[in-house]
Each structure stands twice: as C-alpha cells, then as structure tokens.
Amino acid sequence: MLWAWNRMTGVTDQASQVNAVAEDPAWGFVTYPLEMTPRPPAGSMPLVWEAPDYGFYAFRNGWKGADDIVAQVFLKAHPIGGWNGPNAGTFRIAGLGHAWAVGPEGRERRRWNESVVWLPEDTTFESALGRLSYLKTEKDGSGVVSIDLQDVYSKPPEQHSRLYAPYGGARHAWAFQDSGISGMRSIGVDYSGKCGAPALFVIVDKVKGGKRKTWLWQLPLEGNDPKLSRMVEADVKDNGFTIRQGDATLRATFVAPARANMEAARRKMQITKSAGHGAGVTKLDVNFDAVSAEGGDEFFVVATLQRGNPPPVKVQGDGLKARVQVGGRSVRFDGQKIVFE
C-alpha cells in the first residue's frame, strides 16, 4: 500500500516524500510510515483480482510498470446505488501505455455506452444483473469468465424493487417477465505469449430472439476533454479492426459473423436526464465513440495487443463452432465457455 501511495502522490525519492502529505500535512506527518520501506507488488500481489459480490474480475500480466496489460470484466452481480449504470457483461482494456477499450465515467450512462451487445429495437431490462456461470483463472494473470445475461434481456419489470433482495443480491425468479430473448457472454484473456503477442483477448456472445443486435467496442479518446477530444481512430477492414496508438496496436478479427457489417464512428444520442436537477425533463445530447458490428445473433471475436505487427489468424469451421488459430495458440468455444488450447 505504501508503494501504491507513493506512486499516486509522486514520491520518487526521500526528498520528494513531502508530496505524499501535501494534501493534509498534519495527518500525513502523524501517520506516514517513515520507518517502512515501500515494496512493489510483484511477487506478493496476485495477477488476478476477484470481487465476486460486486462481480468484478481483473486480469493483469504483471506488476512491472506502465507497460502492464490489464483487462477488467464487470458482471454487475449486485444491485448498486449511486452512479449506477447498465454495465452487466462489459469490459475495459489498458496496456502498453494506452487505454484500448473504455466506458462512461459520468452520471448519465446507458447500455450503448458500454462494450456489449446492444439491442436498439427491443425493450429489455438493461440495468439488470449478470450471473457468473463459469470462472477459471491462471497464475500468470490469464482467465476465462462466462456470464448469464438472461435478466438483462428480459422485459422491463413492473416493480424493480421486487427483482432482487436489497442485501445479498438474491434473485426473485417469479418477478421477471420473459421477453423471448436469451443471451450470454464469455470473455477470455491469455497472457501466455503463445499466440505471438503479449495479450490475446477473446469475446463470444450468443443471443437468441429479438431483433437487430449491435456489437460494440467503446473507443478511447485523444485528450482529456470528451467535448473537444477526437476518438482514437480504428481502421476497419478484413472483417476486423485495428487500433493504433504510438508503436502499439490492437488487432481484432471477427470469426462470427463471417462478414460483419462494421463501422467505427462517433454517434450522437439524445437522452433524458435520469438523476439530479432536471431529471425526467431535461434533454441532453451525448456522443459515444465505438466500433459497431452487425450481422447475426452470434459474435466471436479474437483480439491481440502488441507492438508491431499482429500474429496471423486462421479460422477452421463456421460460427461459434469454429476453431481459431492465433499464432501458436488455438481457441474455441464449447457452448458455455472459451477454451484455450
């Protein structure tokens, strides 16, 4: 914790220790542990972090510094107050000094702000919880998470308070209304390096019923002001997309659908404020920047993060039954989870 605190406050040597107590000198001088030596997390902190009550899973390839790669998966396994959002099944990715998949940080957030499968023509219970159906983790920070999103695709309930117990998140199955739509997502992270890149990410979505499905990957911005900043460009071609930042690239390939209808663009959406002054009345224009893909009910995407050129991707078979060779790594989906071989 002292190592992390020093890093956050800009302490790099003994002379700069004053930075650690600059916000509140009195308390800082009383509590700052001068007799303690900061210890870096490598070797003592795990590379996989799990918070099952919240539904949070973080996979990282090391505790080395700015080039560390971190993937975070959000189940939304518990009802949350405050600045809550419809984020069941989403993810974030950062690594090699850049953010690659992001999400909203403000109070007004919608399902289309997240990297999920969005059903724009169906009315579903987007703020529902996800349920863990499979989890496997590795000591090197790799892992697989599968999420049951049945509640998210159900009809909006008549009484939200009756769906889940207020403490503990117990699910009242009788309170849900079937929409005829079902769905799940599996996310895999591989840091073994066998694919020829430092990180391999796999995302599989299986959604049945409903109308048009839009698969989304939320793009980061260049700069710190979302009103002025441009989105990081994503080059869409060869049934996939490539994001370039500095000397690093993230290359994503769609295994399914075989011919995805893709676009990387900024969209402007109008929403009605849901909280704070003007809630339920005030209209807001909100931009979201994302790669979107359509073309069916099933999505199977493999993505590698590296410096230089990405490893080759070869596909045998069709749809979710395909076997994918990414460099020296074989990937498949067994119907419930992603399998690395």
Side-chain angles (χ1 to χ4, degrees), residues 191-237:
Y191 293 133
S192 69
K194 294 178 181 178
C195 73
L200 168 62
F201 308 107
V202 184
I203 306 159
V204 172
D205 292 283
K206 184 168 62 175
V207 185
K208 295 182 179 179
K211 300 176 184 176
R212 179 163 55 98
K213 285 88 176 173
T214 302
W215 185 96
L216 297 172
W217 179 295
Q218 304 292 332
L219 294 168
L221 297 176
E222 294 177 340
N224 298 320
D225 188 339
K227 294 182 180 180
L228 302 176
S229 301
R230 299 184 307 158
M231 72 176 188
V232 172
E233 292 186 4
D235 183 18
V236 175
K237 65 179 182 181

Side-chain angles (χ1 to χ4, degrees), residues 67-266:
D67 282 354
D68 291 353
I69 301 173
V70 183
Q72 299 172 317
V73 179
F74 298 82
L75 265 73
K76 190 179 179 181
H78 187 83
I80 304 161
W83 286 22
N84 191 15
N87 63 350
T90 192
F91 59 89
R92 309 280 191 272
I93 295 174
L96 304 185
H98 303 279
W100 301 94
V102 299
E105 297 180 1
R107 190 172 189 175
E108 297 292 342
R109 47 184 69 189
R110 302 294 186 268
R111 187 73 174 161
W112 38 262
N113 284 136
E114 296 288 356
S115 296
V116 296
V117 176
W118 173 43
L119 278 61
E121 298 174 0
D122 290 286
T123 302
T124 58
F125 185 26
E126 294 186 343
S127 60
L129 306 183
R131 288 180 286 164
L132 182 70
S133 59
Y134 178 81
L135 175 66
K136 181 181 181 181
T137 63
E138 305 288 352
K139 289 184 178 180
D140 69 354
S142 306
V144 176
V145 179
S146 291
I147 310 158
D148 183 347
L149 296 172
Q150 178 65 50
D151 290 3
V152 175
Y153 295 121
S154 67
K155 289 183 180 179
E158 296 178 357
Q159 298 184 38
H160 288 203
S161 61
R162 305 184 75 181
L163 297 179
Y164 305 104
Y167 303 101
R171 180 178 183 272
H172 298 155
W174 50 267
F176 286 83
Q177 300 185 67
D178 184 19
S179 66
I181 308 172
S182 61
M184 61 85 65
R185 160 169 278 191
S186 187
I187 298 176
V189 181
D190 177 35
Y191 293 133
S192 69
K194 294 178 181 178
C195 73
L200 168 62
F201 308 107
V202 184
I203 306 159
V204 172
D205 292 283
K206 184 168 62 175
V207 185
K208 295 182 179 179
K211 300 176 184 176
R212 179 163 55 98
K213 285 88 176 173
T214 302
W215 185 96
L216 297 172
W217 179 295
Q218 304 292 332
L219 294 168
L221 297 176
E222 294 177 340
N224 298 320
D225 188 339
K227 294 182 180 180
L228 302 176
S229 301
R230 299 184 307 158
M231 72 176 188
V232 172
E233 292 186 4
D235 183 18
V236 175
K237 65 179 182 181
D238 299 329
N239 214 45
F241 60 91
T242 302
I243 307 171
R244 292 182 175 86
Q245 298 187 82
D247 62 349
T249 61
L250 184 141
R251 172 61 186 172
T253 302
F254 279 81
V255 178
R259 292 179 178 84
N261 181 17
M262 278 184 292
E263 180 185 29
R266 166 166 287 182

